Each structure stands twice: as structure tokens, then as C-alpha cells.
């Protein structure tokens, strides 16, 4: 099973959730079967988790390679403490990868709890890890959330949908003047 995440300067920013990520990884490491942790971006995960195989991809500039990483993932986790509207979540659900996030910022605008992933109360890393375990060990549930993730991405974040919504907004502003 593969769990992925991406972050810029993960351990250097309190808001990216690096410490929380380590707490989640400790819980996963202690209570689960072997898992591959696929990381994208900056930051180094200390190799102190015997049940986790850590694969650090570093920065990816090849879009196809990044898409393959997301498609290879069973779960995408985003343990941030603050974020507006994370593109990484939109990218993950576009690749039919269910996500686990905290109920912060714009994360719940992308991830609908138990529809295309899990939205966890702020900073309950035990519940966060449990949601990941549920997705890793229940193939049927994960496949349903995967299909719903892709459908949600197409319905809400397709470029044509976004463009039409912006045009409607622009027209409403112009007609209001």
C-alpha cells in the first residue's frame, strides 16, 4: 500500500504540519502492516519508522511523473495546519486518490468527509492515522472514495467549469455597475 504527500520545506514551516506528520507516521508505523510512504518536494523524513518504506522523490518538474506518483498512491495525506485552497488536493482527487486532511482553511472545500476522503478535526493525529488505515485496509471503501474523488474533481475543478464560473462572476459584477 502507498501513502503519499507533498510539501515545500516540510520541516521548516510550522504551518506545513511536519511535526504532525511525524506523529501520524509514528502511529501508522506502530499499528500497521508495511506501507510505502511516497514523498514529493522538499524535506527529509528521518528513517526511524521500521514498518514504513520511505521513497523520497524530491522535486518533480515532470508533470507526467507527478501524475504517476499520485495515481500510484492509495491515499494522499495533507497534514497542514493552515492552507487556503491547496492545489495538491485538487491534483490528488483529479488522479482519483482519496485524501485525508485536517479541518483547516480551504481543505474541506475540496475534500468532502467520507465522500472523497476524510476531514479530521484539527490536529487529532490519532484519528488522522486511523482514517489512513481505514483507507489502506478496506479496498472496497477506498475504491468508492477514489471514484467519487475523480467525479468531484471533474464536477468542481475542471478548467471549463472554473472558467464558466469566473465568467458568470465577471458578468454579475459588470451588470451590477
Amino acid at each position: 500500500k502507498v501513502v503519499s504527500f507533498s510539501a515545500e520545506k516540510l520541516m521548516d514551516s510550522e504551518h506545513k504540519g511536519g511535526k504532525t506528520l511525524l506523529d501520524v507516521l509514528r502511529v501508522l508505523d506502530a499499528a500497521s502492516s508495511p506501507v510505502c510512504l511516497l514523498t514529493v518536494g522538499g524535506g527529509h523524513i528521518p528513517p526511524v519508522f521500521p514498518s514504513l518504506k520511505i521513497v523520497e522523490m524530491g522535486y518533480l518538474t515532470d508533470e507526467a511523473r507527478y501524475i504517476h506518483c499520485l495515481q500510484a498512491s492509495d491515499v494522499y495525506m495533507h497534514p497542514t495546519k493552515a492552507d487556503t485552497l491547496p492545489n495538491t488536493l485538487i491534483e490528488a482527487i483529479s488522479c482519483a486518490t482519496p485524501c485525508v486532511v485536517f479541518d483547516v482553511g480551504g481543505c474541506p472545500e475540496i475534500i468532502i468527509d467520507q465522500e472523497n476522503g476524510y476531514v479530521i478535526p484539527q490536529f487529532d493525529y490519532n484519528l488522522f492515522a486511523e482514517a489512513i488505515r481505514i483507507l489502506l485496509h478496506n479496498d472496497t471503501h477506498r475504491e468508492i472514495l477514489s471514484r467519487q474523488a475523480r467525479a468531484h474533481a471533474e464536477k468542481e475543478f475542471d478548467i471549463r467549469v472554473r472558467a464558466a464560473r469566473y465568467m458568470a462572476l465577471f458578468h454579475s459584477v459588470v451588470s451590477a455597475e
Side-chain angles (χ1 to χ4, degrees), residues 119-159:
V119 179
I120 306 301
Q122 289 186 14
F123 321 126
D124 184 338
Y125 64 85
N126 286 307
L127 191 54
F128 196 99
E130 179 61 22
I132 293 170
R133 278 199 305 269
I134 288 168
L135 287 168
L136 291 178
H137 297 295
N138 187 330
D139 295 340
T140 303
H141 181 59
R142 186 180 63 253
E143 288 168 11
I144 291 168
L145 267 60
S146 293
R147 283 191 303 275
Q148 292 174 170
R150 177 64 186 173
H152 184 67
E154 290 174 350
K155 179 181 173 209
E156 297 296 329
F157 299 105
D158 181 273
I159 189 74

Side-chain angles (χ1 to χ4, degrees), residues 67-142:
I67 290 169
H68 289 302
C69 287
L70 290 173
Q71 290 173 333
S73 302
D74 295 294
V75 180
Y76 181 85
M77 64 175 165
H78 192 69
T80 189
K81 291 182 172 185
D83 217 328
T84 51
L85 194 70
N87 284 332
T88 56
L89 294 177
I90 297 169
E91 293 160 352
I93 65 171
S94 295
C95 292
T97 305
C99 301
V100 178
V101 301
F102 286 119
D103 187 3
V104 296
C107 295
E109 294 180 38
I110 301 168
I111 305 306
I112 311 304
D113 191 41
Q114 298 188 48
E115 183 179 310
N116 61 353
Y118 286 91
V119 179
I120 306 301
Q122 289 186 14
F123 321 126
D124 184 338
Y125 64 85
N126 286 307
L127 191 54
F128 196 99
E130 179 61 22
I132 293 170
R133 278 199 305 269
I134 288 168
L135 287 168
L136 291 178
H137 297 295
N138 187 330
D139 295 340
T140 303
H141 181 59
R142 186 180 63 253

Side-chain angles (χ1 to χ4, degrees), residues 20-78:
T20 304
L21 172 69
L22 294 178
D23 292 336
V24 168
L25 294 179
R26 279 186 199 90
V27 173
L28 282 175
D29 184 56
S32 81
S33 54
V35 171
C36 176
L37 176 67
L38 181 63
T39 71
V40 176
H44 175 70
I45 303 298
V48 295
F49 305 105
S51 293
L52 302 177
K53 178 182 180 185
I54 299 170
V55 177
E56 294 178 348
M57 299 299 294
Y59 293 101
L60 297 178
T61 56
D62 180 354
E63 183 178 325
R65 194 164 183 208
Y66 180 55
I67 290 169
H68 289 302
C69 287
L70 290 173
Q71 290 173 333
S73 302
D74 295 294
V75 180
Y76 181 85
M77 64 175 165
H78 192 69

